[in-house]
Amino acid sequence: MTTSATGRISSGVGARTQRLVYGTLTPDSLRDELSVTTRIDLAHVVMLAERKLLEPERAVRLLRLVADLREQDYVPLWGLPAPRGVYLMYEQYLMGVLGEETGGRLHTGRSRNDLKATATAMRLSRWTMDFLRDAVRLEAVLLARSRAHRDVVMPVYTHFQPAMPITYGHYLSGVALALGRDITAVQQAAEGLWVCPMGAGAVAGTDLAIDPARVAELLGFDRPCVHSIDAVASRDVLLRLLGTVTGLGITLSRLATDLQLWSTAEFGFIAFPDRLVGGSSAMPQKRNAFLLEHVKAKAGVATGAWTAAASTMKSTPFTNSIEVGTEAVAAAWPGLQAVADSVLLCQSLAGGARPVDDRMLHRAEEGFVSATTVANRLVRYGVPFRTAHRLVGDAVRRAVDRGSTDLSGLRLPQGTPPHAADDPPLPQAVASLRYGGGPGTLDQGLDEALAVLAAHTGWWRMRHGRLMAATRTLEDTVAAMTGDTIDAA
């Protein structure tokens, strides 16, 4: 297959290989790639003109044509052959319209390597902002439900056996705190996304007097790269981001496991509205909380994606690499999207789940979950804990034998007053658990969780504000150069 002259290479790969390497080009895939690439182009052309590496009139023509393509949703490019990928097809179009003397200057001072690394960072930053917005909303949902159900007494389980009394609100605030740490970890993992690779060129920068800091500013990055090899070789930020997002997905899978178990007829702790359950094609009585199964499974998808991306990157040379920059990145996206979907599902599930108060309380009473509280009361009257533990355990065994939940008749050591073994009402037992972060200090845990929520919200607003400001700056700068109004978002 013959192509236009490209220097040393005079022919390209066959049609089948093109499809395998570049995929089948559709209007959606074209838009997805060029929406980011053309925004980088606008910033790059502005910088070239400002550095006098591109004549003003040529810069204006390039800016207007790129802006016009964006305005037309890239329709003029639909159906054009792309034997060497979308970018070179797009560049060929620019040269076809403007001539090589103008269109051929767009790639001055850069390479597809730093361009691709920058586009990946921009896509990831946009995805991360959307993801964190939704994750923070889920954090808020959990805390709102925690406050609403702060007095709903239930047993907490260890080894799938009733252990001690808590409240449903206490459980939800614990999940919210864990989710909050996951969100913080994602924010920290994303820090590398704010460094712009543009300027690194193919791998060793350039001898042209470009201004990478200006491009970084116009695209919403905090700063340009400081090392050309690192800029084009590394996708560690992607791997770290995927790892922290996977951790968040695992947290949600554990929440989903509890909610699914508690929604069974055997537990009956949680009820879901019809909009959050499904029926059976054969069994008319079924109310399946099937959405929770999707949440549990999506954590596995993310874990697999991390494994695939890391395995693809392993043992590659530390330079620009198809394995790292293309294949590993492609492997990561399904994992990121799986957890993003899980977050949205959990917003509905956590918000829609309703505790069955009576059933929770009854099961707590049946499970002798205040037994440790009784033993600790004896400790306060001078009974060694091991002795108290044995005495209360014996009382539980005898109560079970007689089909009762009454621990009265506890065999107390000589000299211990009878009221020392009183079994308090469960709400009182819950309130007494005031040390070590127990449910008696729910307000303290909520205050901390709400402070974390406020910090997450503030971080998101700061980052979003910077990105929006950069978009406006780019639009205004291009408009000032061309006399036209453009949309650089």
Side-chain angles (χ1 to χ4, degrees), residues 411-444:
R411 295 164 182 169
L412 298 176
Q414 187 175 4
T416 305
H419 66 269
D422 288 349
D423 188 2
L426 282 174
Q428 182 180 329
V430 169
S432 71
L433 299 170
R434 299 189 302 273
Y435 304 94
T441 58
L442 177 60
D443 284 338
Q444 181 179 337

Side-chain angles (χ1 to χ4, degrees), residues 43-297:
H44 184 68
V45 170
V46 167
M47 180 275 294
L48 291 176
E50 291 176 346
R51 298 293 289 180
K52 303 189 185 310
L53 293 169
L54 181 61
E55 298 92 331
E57 61 275 13
R58 297 189 191 279
V60 169
R61 294 180 67 196
L62 271 168
L63 291 172
R64 283 178 171 164
L65 182 55
V66 171
D68 186 56
L69 277 174
R70 290 169 64 88
E71 181 68 24
Q72 295 184 69
D73 203 23
Y74 312 103
V75 169
L77 304 180
W78 293 1
L80 294 182
R84 297 164 62 208
V86 169
Y87 174 76
L88 290 177
M89 175 269 281
Y90 154 73
E91 187 183 61
Q92 193 67 37
Y93 172 83
L94 297 181
M95 289 190 290
V97 174
L98 300 176
E100 189 166 318
E101 274 298 310
T102 296
R105 297 177 188 272
L106 173 63
H107 213 47
T108 302
R110 73 180 190 189
S111 163
R112 272 200 293 180
N113 297 351
D114 59 346
L115 177 63
K116 187 169 187 177
T118 303
T120 297
M122 290 175 66
R123 287 191 184 96
L124 281 172
S125 64
R126 181 172 59 192
W127 181 90
T128 300
M129 292 300 294
D130 290 345
F131 176 79
L132 287 173
R133 177 198 62 210
D134 292 334
V136 171
R137 287 174 179 170
L138 173 57
E139 188 181 16
V141 168
L142 288 169
L143 292 174
R145 294 295 89 199
S146 175
R147 283 186 290 189
H149 302 305
R150 59 180 300 136
D151 297 323
V152 178
V153 175
M154 66 173 290
V156 66
Y157 289 78
T158 60
H159 309 289
F160 291 96
Q161 300 298 321
M164 295 183 72
I166 60 166
T167 66
Y168 184 53
H170 184 64
Y171 170 82
L172 292 177
S173 64
V175 176
L177 283 166
L179 175 66
R181 289 191 299 277
D182 291 329
I183 291 172
T184 298
V186 175
Q187 290 176 342
Q188 292 169 343
E191 282 303 307
L193 296 177
W194 318 121
V195 179
C196 183
M198 286 300 291
V203 71
T206 178
D207 56 352
L208 295 172
I210 61 173
D211 184 1
R214 177 59 165 159
V215 177
E217 174 197 6
L218 292 171
L219 294 177
F221 291 90
D222 288 352
R223 59 192 183 279
C225 67
V226 297
H227 197 287
S228 60
I229 299 177
D230 180 40
V232 300
S234 299
R235 297 297 187 276
D236 58 297
V237 177
L238 166 70
L239 202 58
R240 193 157 47 250
L241 185 66
L242 178 56
T244 53
V245 167
T246 298
L248 191 151
I250 290 171
T251 296
L252 297 186
S253 77
R254 300 179 71 187
L255 167 66
T257 295
D258 284 340
L259 292 181
Q260 186 173 31
L261 183 65
W262 295 345
S263 68
T264 62
E266 287 73 16
F267 272 80
F269 284 4
I270 296 293
F272 288 105
D274 287 353
R275 63 185 174 86
L276 295 176
V277 299
S280 165
S281 65
M283 296 165 283
Q285 83 281 10
K286 297 293 293 296
R287 286 177 59 85
N288 299 324
F290 72 101
L291 295 177
L292 294 163
E293 296 176 41
H294 286 285
V295 173
K296 292 177 354 184

Side-chain angles (χ1 to χ4, degrees), residues 470-483:
T471 298
R472 290 192 296 271
T473 299
L474 180 56
E475 291 174 353
D476 292 346
T477 303
V478 172
M481 292 177 66
T482 64

Side-chain angles (χ1 to χ4, degrees), residues 1-3 9-22 82-85:
M1 174 180 174
T2 302
T3 65
I9 307 299
S10 60
S11 63
V13 298
R16 183 178 67 175
T17 304
Q18 288 177 36
R19 288 194 297 271
L20 291 173
V21 173
Y22 300 117
R84 297 164 62 208

